[in-house]
Amino acid sequence: PARDMVKEARIWKDLEAVAPEALATFKEATAAFDRNDLQRAAGLYRAVLEKAPIFTPALRRAGGALVILGREGEGMGMLERAVALDRSPENLGALARHLAFSRGKGEPTDGELERALRLAEEALAGMPGDLRLLMVKAQAYIHLDRRKGLRHVSEELLKEHPGRMESHWIAAIRAAADADWSVADFEIRRAGELGLPDEQVTSFRNQVRHAREGPNPWRLAAYPLAISVLWLAGWALLFVVGKRLSRATLRSIEGSDANPAETPRRLRSRYRGLIVVAAAYYYLSLPVVALLVVALTASIIYACFLAGSIPVKLVFFLVIGALVTLFAILRSLFVRIRDEDPGLPLPEKRAPELWRLVREVAQRVGTSPVDEVWLTPGTEVAVFERSPSQGLIGRRRRRALILGLAVLDHFPRNAYRAVLAHEYGHLSNRDTAGGEVALRVQARMLRFAQALHEAGQAVTWNLGFQFLRLYQVFFRRITFGATRLQEVLADRVAVAAYGAVAFREGLTHVIRRDVEFSFLATKAIERAVDLRTPLANLYELPPPSEPEERVVASKVEALLDRPTSDDDTHPSPGARFRLADRLRGGDVVPDPGTITDLLPDRAMLAEKFTRTVATRVAVG
């Protein structure tokens, strides 16, 4: 609407009373504003504010100009300040308009629309029937989908401003929302006669016609189908690339020239990129799966409707399955990977000689030693990095070593040094720094699966469950190829530091102890459960009998001789031994001792871990 010159005269009078020298500048700014020269208007209004800092008409208009120019933060700040200084209808209305209508950042949020409604209502008390304020309310009601409010404001617009294009435009939207097609067509034609551009009239009438005729379900089905084809094509491409990299990995492990690390390092860099893409593709797949679940459920229900018979029980289970799957997808996105303690801490004062050996290996490898050592009940030997403690933001991540108590028994020291050098190789190669991506995706897939299982929806016909099964295999293939590369490079570090003989002896010991301890501990637990007796000390069990030894030896031999497959996280031991034999290894001084000798509290730890295992399996 044209500017109200009566009100404008009052504004000039108010400004003249506080800063008469700024009046001419204010008038020039307003003229620039009205001819849409917003950049000049904003600058002139600023000049006015330098002489009259709390003159709210200048604040209001400068803020509006800046918002339209895209400087939203600055402009909205001025509008807010104008309202804080004076809750006049004009100030309230200006803030409401800029909250309700789209700005540089996009469509307004529901919260902004709600606030715009409240401000417009307050402003209308001082400016009843104001066209711009009524349009603010109409805009908010349309976007918030409040048809009752839209009907009310549409009637008010037609009553207060019957000859305005805006009134008939809103009336057309209101009629279309109520499916009153003839009224919608009449009102949009009337809005066109009053100035609504022809292209908007044509577009609106086309939308009304399509809505009146109703959607074509088969045409709508083409969209999910096209999305599915593109999605599966991307999945296939990732699978092919992952397969090629996996094969290249196996070839590099078995290659003739094992000493140069150039090829595996280049492959590892490519693998890292592939894992990041595969992880991102998992998150991208979730909305696609949700869309397909909804589309498939709706298609089946619609097909039943066309057939003239709706099986209530089938529809019920389909809807429940779809809702559970959608909820499981949403729930899986909020899994928090907690950095929990992996076992019992082993401070240096309790095993100083073991810590000295740990630092000695780090120095020989040429990397920083671990900051923490953790003992576990099993046969694990691994390293990882932990986030710094609270209050230590910016500090480096802490290096941690996990040692299974069972693997330390009779572990030759040089063999242990070689295994530890392998683990330090992971740290020096930064293999532990990029694992969060794969870990986070695997945790979310696990949470998704748990949610489906708990709801009884981990079934063949559930599309979300089938997607999860297939993507888990696919993602495992890719990440396992990367870990095989990491193992090769870490093996090179171990052999370079302590030689192929110590490396072979160390890896063989770890495999042997894993098989033997698992075999003997399982038998002891089963015996305690069957006889309902306390669990014997798992770390003081008698050695296997001759028949049991043959079983253990057979399993160890099978593990040592098996080939590497695409589902292996590590290259096969045989492949690793062949690689080690071709590497140039370091010389070490013989050390006849074992690691067990360096752990003074072994007996106490053995009893404690046995009680822990007994509690977990409810024995004794």
Side-chain angles (χ1 to χ4, degrees):
R3 195 173 292 282
D4 186 340
M5 296 311 297
V6 175
K7 287 186 178 180
E8 196 70 8
R10 289 199 296 266
I11 293 173
W12 294 345
K13 186 176 180 180
D14 291 342
L15 178 58
E16 193 172 21
V18 294
E21 69 279 12
L23 181 57
T25 305
F26 181 82
K27 290 180 179 181
E28 187 180 351
T30 302
F33 191 100
D34 289 345
R35 65 174 180 267
N36 209 32
D37 188 356
L38 300 177
Q39 192 71 46
R40 178 169 175 75
L44 291 170
Y45 282 131
R46 284 185 180 279
V48 173
L49 290 170
E50 290 178 2
K51 297 180 175 60
I54 61 172
F55 186 58
T56 60
L59 269 175
R60 176 175 73 238
R61 294 178 186 180
L66 290 171
V67 170
I68 298 171
L69 287 169
R71 295 157 65 179
E72 183 179 338
E74 190 178 1
M76 292 300 289
M78 286 186 165
L79 291 169
E80 295 280 6
R81 186 170 175 229
V83 170
L85 290 169
D86 180 12
R87 296 186 73 85
S88 68
E90 291 80 9
N91 291 341
L92 293 168
L95 180 56
R97 286 196 303 276
H98 289 292
L99 283 171
F101 290 93
S102 59
R103 307 185 293 277
K105 70 172 188 177
E107 292 296 325
T109 66
D110 287 358
E112 289 172 334
L113 291 168
E114 294 283 4
R115 188 182 178 207
L117 271 176
R118 294 193 299 270
L119 292 170
E121 290 285 3
E122 185 179 349
L124 279 166
M127 293 192 302
D130 183 82
L131 175 63
R132 291 178 298 180
L133 293 174
L134 292 176
M135 287 298 292
V136 167
K137 293 179 64 176
Q139 168 81 351
Y141 287 138
I142 290 169
H143 282 271
L144 294 172
D145 195 22
R146 296 183 185 172
R147 298 189 183 184
K148 185 177 179 180
L150 180 59
R151 293 188 196 104
H152 178 77
V153 75
S154 176
E155 292 170 0
E156 194 171 357
L157 278 165
L158 288 172
K159 177 183 175 182
E160 298 289 341
H161 308 280
R164 295 289 303 191
M165 171 270 291
E166 293 90 338
S167 302
H168 293 277
W169 179 32
I170 297 300
I173 295 173
R174 185 267 307 161
D178 291 339
D180 194 346
W181 310 120
S182 59
V183 172
D185 190 66
F186 171 81
E187 293 291 353
I188 199 65
R189 285 174 180 269
R190 180 65 178 139
E193 293 169 0
L194 293 171
L196 188 65
D198 291 341
E199 59 270 19
Q200 287 187 250
V201 173
T202 302
S203 175
F204 186 90
R205 294 188 69 199
N206 288 336
Q207 292 180 55
V208 167
R209 186 177 70 254
H210 289 313
R212 193 170 190 171
E213 294 172 354
N216 184 333
W218 307 118
R219 187 169 64 242
L220 292 176
Y223 296 106
L225 182 61
I227 291 172
S228 301
V229 171
L230 291 174
W231 173 55
L232 291 173
W235 198 351
L237 178 62
L238 283 174
F239 181 80
V240 170
V241 173
K243 193 76 173 176
R244 289 174 64 87
L245 281 176
S246 179
R247 289 175 179 173
T249 302
L250 295 177
R251 285 197 301 270
S252 72
I253 293 171
E254 298 291 348
S256 58
D257 188 6
N259 285 297
E262 179 71 20
T263 301
R265 289 186 186 276
R266 189 165 59 246
L267 280 172
R268 186 178 62 169
S269 176
R270 293 173 184 171
Y271 249 124
R272 281 179 176 171
L274 183 62
I275 289 174
V276 170
V277 172
Y281 206 75
Y282 171 76
Y283 292 110
L284 179 66
S285 297
L286 292 180
V288 176
V289 172
L291 172 65
L292 294 179
V293 167
V294 172
L296 184 61
T297 304
S299 299
I300 294 174
I301 294 174
Y302 185 73
C304 293
F305 178 78
L306 291 179
S309 174
I310 300 179
V312 177
K313 189 173 182 180
L314 173 63
V315 170
F316 174 77
F317 281 115
L318 284 174
V319 171
I320 292 298
L323 291 176
V324 168
T325 302
L326 296 176
F327 175 73
I329 290 174
L330 184 64
R331 186 179 177 187
S332 70
L333 295 175
F334 296 96
V335 175
R336 294 187 64 187
I337 302 173
R338 298 178 180 176
D339 192 9
E340 299 178 346
D341 292 342
L344 290 178
L346 182 66
E348 185 174 2
K349 64 182 179 181
R350 288 179 53 190
E353 290 302 312
L354 180 63
W355 270 89
R356 182 191 60 77
L357 189 148
V358 166
R359 291 199 174 94
E360 170 202 308
V361 174
Q363 184 177 9
R364 189 175 182 99
V365 169
T367 189
S368 301
V370 295
D371 306 290
E372 306 167 356
V373 176
W374 298 88
L375 294 175
T376 61
T379 58
E380 304 87 353
V381 180
V383 291
F384 67 103
E385 291 185 319
R386 311 183 77 193
S387 300
S389 304
Q390 287 186 339
L392 296 179
I393 297 175
R395 297 284 297 277
R396 72 171 179 85
R397 295 167 65 85
R398 294 178 61 80
R399 294 180 164 189
L401 169 66
I402 296 177
L403 292 177
L405 184 63
V407 82
L408 299 182
D409 284 348
H410 313 296
F411 203 157
R413 292 188 188 180
N414 278 343
Y416 171 76
R417 287 185 174 97
V419 171
L420 187 55
H422 169 93
E423 299 302 327
Y424 271 125
H426 285 306
L427 292 172
S428 61
N429 290 334
R430 303 300 297 155
D431 294 337
T432 55
E436 294 88 347
V437 174
L439 179 63
R440 192 175 297 115
V441 172
Q442 289 164 351
R444 275 148 179 72
M445 285 194 285
L446 177 61
R447 194 67 195 91
F448 189 1
Q450 287 175 337
L452 290 177
H453 176 74
E454 291 167 3
Q457 291 296 317
V459 291
T460 305
W461 55 265
N462 189 298
L463 183 63
F465 177 64
Q466 293 302 328
F467 156 75
L468 198 59
R469 288 180 60 190
L470 292 173
Y471 207 89
Q472 190 269 338
V473 173
F474 162 72
F475 194 74
R476 185 181 70 227
R477 289 288 182 96
I478 289 180
T479 56
F480 284 6
T483 58
R484 286 194 295 270
L485 280 172
Q486 295 171 359
E487 296 303 321
V488 168
L489 295 178
D491 286 350
R492 286 176 170 163
V493 173
V495 175
Y498 292 99
V501 174
F503 171 75
R504 178 187 289 267
E505 185 180 11
L507 181 56
T508 303
H509 175 85
V510 171
I511 294 171
R512 163 80 191 190
R513 279 301 296 157
D514 183 57
V515 172
E516 183 179 62
F517 181 73
S518 176
F519 181 83
L520 295 176
T522 300
K523 289 180 68 68
I525 292 170
E526 290 175 347
R527 187 182 306 112
V529 171
D530 291 341
L531 300 178
R532 297 185 179 180
T533 58
L535 182 63
N537 190 324
L538 296 177
Y539 305 90
E540 299 294 342
L541 296 173
S545 63
E546 186 173 338
E548 292 174 338
E549 175 59 32
R550 286 198 294 270
V551 173
V552 171
S554 175
K555 290 183 177 180
V556 171
E557 185 177 355
L559 288 172
L560 293 176
D561 294 339
R562 67 175 180 81
T564 306
S565 74
D566 285 340
D567 288 317
D568 283 329
T569 59
H570 292 53
S572 67
R576 296 172 71 180
F577 292 154
R578 288 190 293 273
L579 176 69
D581 290 338
R582 296 196 300 270
L583 294 172
R584 292 182 292 273
D587 297 324
V588 292
V589 177
D591 189 343
T594 67
I595 298 302
T596 314
D597 305 332
L598 306 182
L599 201 62
D601 295 338
R602 183 189 176 283
M604 181 272 292
L605 291 167
E607 292 180 3
K608 185 177 183 62
F609 281 142
T610 298
R611 289 196 301 270
T612 300
V613 173
T615 302
R616 290 178 182 175
V617 297
V619 174

